[in-house]
Amino acid sequence: MRDLTPREIVAELDRHIVGQQDAKRSVAIAIRNRWRRQQLAEEMRAEVAPKNILMIGPTGVGKTEIARRLAKLTGAPFIKVEATKYTEVGYYGRDVESMIRELVENAIGLVRESERAKVEAEARRRAEDRLLDLLAPPPARRDGDDNKNDDDDDDDDDDEPNSENDERSVRHERTRAKMRVMLVAGDLDERKVELTIEQKAVPMMLGGVGMEQVDLDLQGMFEKIMPKHTSRRELSVKEARRVLFEQESDALINQEKVNGAAIELAENLGIIFVDEIDKVVASENTKGADVSRQGVQRDLLPIVEGTTVQTRYGYVKTDHILFIAAGAFHRASPSDLMPELQGRFPIRVELKDLTKDDFIRILKEPKSALTKQYVALLETERVTLEFSDEAVDSLAEFAFQVNQSTQNIGARRLYTIMERLLEELSFDAPEMKGRHVPIDAAYVRTRLESIAKDEDLSQFIL
């Protein structure tokens, strides 16, 4: 785990997300506490539980982005799930425990990537040797080399084929050395080779409520007993190098070691972001399937409290997984959640609505700001876009007004505004090579003013 201080974590998040300092500070402290826990003695480490976070705020203000960037920053296994996809057993929907299985799959990918980096040099060397075997196969040896006769009369007869075999081997090594140089230089990339590719026969499994783990177990069993299909394919050297590198990497990686490390990584550093948690609050007078919302809370409780979940890679304890829940809580409040579940989210952070100034900063400051993205996209067509400060101000004003007059969807409104603004330009860009297009406030007003003023129209277009 990267050794980042809370201040460094907030600074990194600031590069991508505007505002919401309270939420950034809370998650930064939570992540630092995980690092601190790793430094403790084993006995004390087992007692320190993660301080789960509940983010409260409208859509589009950065809840998901904070959690996603956080996981990327720390290199921790991370998944985002929607609470509305899960239902109480007996209703149509997913088993709550499946989120832990997804987290382990994510951890498997991270550990495999790390292990692959360790064996990369050896895998590339082996792949190169196999390619050379395909491009310059070893010469067939003449009879007499391996079947030597002890009789003195046959010694003279054997010397001739042996010397010929030795000479052919030397020539082959010289040819192989020359081809290795050409292979490394990329001169042989377009040459064709025939390669045997193994394909696993994976059966189609039919899933249902609570069937995820059953399907995984059956699939693992079928993978072991079903025959593997092999096929001969003609590939370019460039494609074959990639396929052979994958095969050699898989052969060098110890899968049991990967599975064990992934489970440990998920248990100690895993982050699960549970979105839309306010949607599983049962409203008054609910009937029928809505009753399962309360059931989802009951099923979530042991996962968040700490339990053991069976996965195809082994048992996973959830005691030290960090849960970050989020919801708008328009029609409900956090106090409407089950008291036991509330108690498992001791840190609560309220994210604020975005203002016009926030929109201006979102358009200009982040490393991959929306204006920078569109400039880069149109540069591929050799069209140079230039946004003036007045244009950015006007775009922010339109986004803020539309959010106030229709549905407030936060920063996501900027996507629809920008698409509408540059729709005509994006369509004509291939015929405008070499042009410089300044985007000023007048251009923005021309493209957006009539739509923004008509509230009925803006609901559908913006």
Side-chain angles (χ1 to χ4, degrees), residues 244-268:
L244 290 172
F245 172 70
E246 294 290 332
Q247 290 179 358
E248 293 300 329
S249 294
D250 289 342
L252 288 167
I253 291 172
N254 183 338
Q255 191 58 47
E256 291 299 320
K257 179 183 174 184
V258 169
N259 295 348
I263 287 176
E264 186 178 350
L265 188 67
E267 286 181 339
N268 292 295

Side-chain angles (χ1 to χ4, degrees), residues 401-408 413 455-456 458-459 462:
Q401 284 181 0
V402 175
N403 269 352
Q404 296 301 307
S405 59
T406 59
Q407 187 74 30
N408 186 356
R413 184 69 66 188
E455 288 190 18
D456 290 335
S458 65
Q459 285 185 65
L462 298 179

Side-chain angles (χ1 to χ4, degrees), residues 36-311:
R36 290 167 180 153
R37 177 179 170 270
Q38 297 297 315
Q39 317 309 311
L40 297 176
E42 186 69 34
E43 186 179 349
M44 180 61 76
R45 191 189 308 171
E47 299 298 324
V48 178
K51 308 304 182 287
N52 298 321
I53 301 167
L54 179 61
M55 293 185 183
I56 304 160
T59 184
V61 297
K63 300 189 295 293
T64 305
E65 191 66 9
I66 286 173
R68 189 171 66 83
R69 292 286 179 184
L70 195 68
K72 192 173 182 181
L73 184 62
T74 59
F78 171 81
I79 60 160
K80 173 185 179 289
V81 298
E82 282 80 32
T84 49
K85 286 185 178 179
Y86 302 98
T87 63
E88 186 181 14
V89 175
Y91 291 91
Y92 180 78
R94 301 191 63 192
D95 175 14
V96 172
E97 289 186 352
S98 64
M99 67 174 69
I100 305 300
R101 299 183 193 113
E102 289 176 28
L103 183 70
V104 174
E105 291 287 351
N106 185 286
I108 290 280
L110 290 175
V111 175
R112 279 186 66 83
E113 191 176 327
S114 173
E115 291 295 313
R116 189 182 291 264
K118 294 177 185 176
V119 302
E120 182 176 358
E122 176 65 13
R124 291 198 184 283
R125 187 191 66 76
R126 290 191 182 189
E128 191 175 281
D129 287 343
R130 286 180 62 186
L131 267 176
L132 288 170
D133 289 340
L134 293 170
L135 291 165
R141 300 184 68 81
R142 289 188 56 186
D143 291 341
D145 182 38
D146 296 325
N147 300 317
K148 290 186 176 180
N149 196 326
D150 291 335
D151 294 338
D152 293 337
D153 295 339
D154 295 337
D155 286 347
D156 293 337
D157 296 334
D158 289 339
D159 286 343
E160 187 177 342
N162 283 340
S163 60
E164 187 176 338
N165 284 330
D166 291 342
E167 187 180 337
R168 292 172 69 188
S169 296
V170 170
R171 284 201 306 268
H172 173 256
E173 287 302 322
R174 284 201 300 266
T175 303
R176 190 180 175 93
K178 290 177 184 176
M179 295 200 80
R180 187 184 294 274
V181 173
M182 296 170 68
L183 185 64
V184 172
D187 297 337
L188 304 176
D189 280 358
E190 299 308 315
R191 186 175 291 194
K192 299 291 184 181
V193 293
E194 201 172 66
L195 199 62
T196 300
I197 298 176
E198 186 180 277
Q199 297 172 328
K200 290 182 180 179
V202 180
M204 179 73 73
M205 304 305 297
L206 300 176
V209 179
M211 288 291 289
E212 289 99 335
Q213 181 60 25
V214 176
D215 283 357
L216 288 173
D217 292 342
L218 284 174
Q219 183 173 318
M221 183 182 70
F222 276 114
E223 283 177 5
K224 291 176 182 176
I225 64 174
M226 290 186 73
K228 295 180 173 66
H229 297 293
T230 57
S231 60
R232 300 281 292 176
R233 287 178 58 191
E234 192 178 70
L235 302 171
S236 67
V237 168
K238 188 175 182 180
E239 293 171 325
R241 183 190 277 115
R242 179 181 55 79
V243 172
L244 290 172
F245 172 70
E246 294 290 332
Q247 290 179 358
E248 293 300 329
S249 294
D250 289 342
L252 288 167
I253 291 172
N254 183 338
Q255 191 58 47
E256 291 299 320
K257 179 183 174 184
V258 169
N259 295 348
I263 287 176
E264 186 178 350
L265 188 67
E267 286 181 339
N268 292 295
L269 299 180
I271 301 173
I272 297 181
F273 182 77
V274 185
D275 205 1
E276 310 286 359
I277 197 165
D278 57 318
K279 304 299 190 297
V280 295
V281 175
S283 55
E284 295 180 8
N285 304 321
T286 54
K287 293 181 180 179
D290 279 346
V291 175
S292 87
R293 294 179 182 178
Q294 200 73 12
V296 173
Q297 293 187 53
R298 285 195 298 271
D299 290 347
L300 268 174
L301 183 58
I303 302 287
V304 179
E305 277 184 333
T307 188
T308 302
V309 176
Q310 183 183 1
T311 72

Side-chain angles (χ1 to χ4, degrees), residues 295-420:
V296 173
Q297 293 187 53
R298 285 195 298 271
D299 290 347
L300 268 174
L301 183 58
I303 302 287
V304 179
E305 277 184 333
T307 188
T308 302
V309 176
Q310 183 183 1
T311 72
R312 65 185 299 189
Y313 305 106
Y315 289 94
V316 179
K317 294 181 179 179
T318 68
D319 303 65
H320 299 289
I321 293 173
L322 177 65
F323 288 86
I324 302 176
F329 288 99
H330 288 312
R331 296 183 178 86
S333 68
S335 60
D336 293 327
L337 291 167
M338 287 172 55
E340 297 86 350
L341 193 58
Q342 288 181 53
R344 289 294 166 178
F345 290 91
I347 302 173
R348 296 187 186 180
V349 185
E350 188 166 354
L351 285 81
K352 302 175 180 66
D353 283 339
L354 299 174
T355 64
K356 177 188 168 183
D357 290 339
D358 289 330
F359 284 138
I360 292 173
R361 293 181 61 198
I362 289 168
L363 287 168
K364 293 171 68 175
E365 291 182 14
K367 187 180 177 182
S368 55
L370 211 50
T371 50
K372 296 174 186 175
Q373 291 179 28
Y374 279 96
V375 168
L377 283 171
L378 288 177
E379 270 181 2
T380 62
E381 304 274 11
R382 290 170 51 202
V383 175
T384 306
L385 271 187
E386 185 180 352
F387 288 87
S388 70
D389 289 342
E390 292 77 16
V392 171
D393 187 273
S394 186
L395 281 167
E397 179 65 32
F398 275 113
F400 182 72
Q401 284 181 0
V402 175
N403 269 352
Q404 296 301 307
S405 59
T406 59
Q407 187 74 30
N408 186 356
I409 60 171
R412 294 188 180 95
R413 184 69 66 188
L414 291 172
Y415 287 92
T416 54
I417 292 281
M418 290 291 287
E419 278 295 319
R420 188 67 186 177

